Amino acid sequence: MARGEVTINTGLCQGCGLCIGFCSRGCLELSPDRLSDMGSPQPILAQPERCNACCVCAWLCPDFAIDVYKHTGVA
Amino acid sequence: MSLEMIYGTPSLKTQMPRSVFCPGCHYGTIARILAEVMQELEFDGRAIGLAGVGCSFAGMPLNLDVDFTSCPHGRAPAMATAMKRIHPEAVVFTVQGDGDLGAIGLGCFMNALLRGEKLTTIFLNNANYGTTGGQMAPTTLPGMRTTTSPTGRDPQNSGFPLHAAELAAFMPSVAYAARVTVHTPANFQKAKKAVTAAFQKQIDGTGYGFVEFLSACPPNWGLTPTKCLTFISERMMAEYPLGVFKDVDHLDYSKVP
């Protein structure tokens, strides 16, 4: 079960791909069909169930584009 | 089950429609470190930043919601001296690139160290002049190709790279000098500790704090953002070793010879 979730601000992201390299769980992928206004490819949370909200992608995002959320409590 | 935000944009970050940096530039990560450290040490209300000319000027004042002044090229330590002496309670820091601190402003930087100012300098070393198109800088590695050294920097003609952190550590007025990177998550945390320590030396009145960042410049290096990380770990860190070169809690200010 997914322990966390990341959101990527498409207005700020420039598609450098650093977050994809830094994600040790392999959650993020560059999406060829999703382009920003500037024409850069954007990463998507391809495998959301693997995310454990470690925040590494958000630390090292140079464009302040990633926010990290954690699932709290049980439904 | 509910979603709780645990990490996001620091509140000191200004709202901008898009980033001012090139894709893959590390300056945004360094701006994040500065914003987080200012909030953790709770001096963002009395911080005064002085930015030199270059990408450091384009990035930091636009990204950080603190008082900033832009300076003539290379003169940030001189203006910071004036700011610190007029407002002793303020936390004054300069953000300078390698053209600003290492080339045109080396005199002002060395004089600030000689005068024993209690400032903090963040030195952004990306081994070329990023804003003007990647010319050779004092910090360019031997053999590294730039637009003004198309066959690679020749130490026979152009000399050897400037090691600013070691230079600062050698000066008696400096309390903290370190070289860090942000190219891995572990180094990001070490960099944050170094910036915290450098600001703490100024807040405690110990002495000068100096932190050098090795950062990537993907367009001018001609590499992808991911390959820039390999370049930093293999080439840049071979020439510029990381580490804390000086960390003292007390400097001897007595007049007795």
Side-chain angles (χ1 to χ4, degrees), chain B residues 126-129 132-161 220-221 231 235:
Chain B
N126 59 5
N128 64 50
Y129 296 154
T132 48
Q135 289 85 2
M136 185 172 69
T139 47
T140 300
L141 308 175
M144 185 176 171
R145 288 185 185 187
T146 63
T147 49
T148 47
S149 60
T151 57
R153 180 177 182 165
D154 181 10
Q156 197 69 252
N157 291 327
S158 317
F160 293 95
N220 290 318
W221 289 0
F231 186 89
R235 297 278 309 275

Side-chain angles (χ1 to χ4, degrees), chain B:
Chain B
M1 203 162 73
S2 61
L3 275 176
E4 184 196 349
M5 185 164 164
I6 55 168
Y7 194 81
T9 310
S11 57
L12 271 186
K13 167 84 170 66
T14 50
Q15 297 296 318
M16 288 197 302
R18 63 177 291 271
S19 177
V20 292
F21 299 114
C22 309
C25 177
H26 286 172
Y27 283 16
T29 316
I30 297 164
R32 176 189 286 276
I33 290 179
L34 287 179
E36 289 182 3
V37 168
M38 278 185 223
Q39 279 174 327
E40 281 168 17
L41 295 180
E42 295 175 347
F43 66 85
D44 48 298
R46 55 195 176 99
I48 301 177
L50 294 110
V53 172
C55 294
S56 55
F57 162 66
M60 301 305 160
L62 294 175
N63 266 314
L64 299 174
D65 192 11
V66 299
D67 288 343
F68 252 105
T69 302
S70 102
C71 305
H73 202 353
R75 309 296 163 232
M79 286 181 72
T81 302
M83 292 279 182
K84 185 69 181 177
R85 292 190 177 195
I86 295 168
H87 304 289
E89 77 289 349
V91 179
V92 182
F93 66 99
T94 69
V95 184
Q96 298 178 269
D98 36 18
D100 197 65
L101 186 145
I104 192 170
L106 190 59
C108 271
F109 170 63
M110 290 307 294
N111 277 308
L113 298 184
L114 286 170
R115 285 193 305 268
E117 302 298 338
K118 292 170 187 65
L119 307 171
T120 304
T121 288
I122 310 294
F123 174 43
L124 309 173
N125 175 359
N126 59 5
N128 64 50
Y129 296 154
T131 309
T132 48
Q135 289 85 2
M136 185 172 69
T139 47
T140 300
L141 308 175
M144 185 176 171
R145 288 185 185 187
T146 63
T147 49
T148 47
S149 60
T151 57
R153 180 177 182 165
D154 181 10
Q156 197 69 252
N157 291 327
S158 317
F160 293 95
L162 169 74
H163 288 240
E166 286 94 331
L167 183 70
F170 186 67
M171 303 298 287
S173 65
V174 173
Y176 189 86
R179 182 181 290 119
V180 294
T181 73
V182 288
H183 79 292
T184 62
N187 277 304
F188 174 88
Q189 294 296 341
K190 284 181 194 163
K192 209 168 148 184
K193 275 185 192 148
V195 173
T196 308
F199 277 119
Q200 196 64 51
K201 299 294 179 200
Q202 182 186 164
I203 294 167
D204 297 344
T206 313
Y208 206 104
F210 182 88
V211 181
E212 173 177 351
F213 277 92
L214 302 182
S215 65
C217 189
N220 290 318
W221 289 0
L223 300 169
T224 62
T226 327
K227 282 185 182 158
C228 281
L229 306 177
T230 322
F231 186 89
I232 288 180
S233 58
E234 288 176 1
R235 297 278 309 275
M236 293 278 280
M237 281 164 62
E239 176 67 39
Y240 299 110
L242 304 184
V244 178
F245 299 103
K246 193 172 187 184
D247 185 4
V248 292
D249 292 330
H250 178 72
L251 290 176
D252 187 10
Y253 287 106
S254 61
K255 292 181 187 170
V256 182

Side-chain angles (χ1 to χ4, degrees), chain A residues 1 5 11-12 14 16 18 22 38 53 55-56 58-64 66-75, chain B residues 1-9 13 16-19 21-25 28-29 32 182-183 185 188-189 225 229:
Chain A
M1 195 186 77
E5 200 172 308
L12 291 173
Q14 299 193 89
C16 65
L18 288 180
F22 283 124
M38 305 292 289
C55 300
V56 166
W59 292 348
L60 293 151
C61 174
D63 300 318
F64 298 88
I66 300 181
D67 292 337
V68 183
Y69 295 84
K70 193 168 191 175
H71 292 290
T72 54
V74 182
Chain B
M1 203 162 73
S2 61
L3 275 176
E4 184 196 349
M5 185 164 164
I6 55 168
Y7 194 81
T9 310
K13 167 84 170 66
M16 288 197 302
R18 63 177 291 271
S19 177
F21 299 114
C22 309
C25 177
T29 316
R32 176 189 286 276
V182 288
H183 79 292
F188 174 88
Q189 294 296 341
L229 306 177

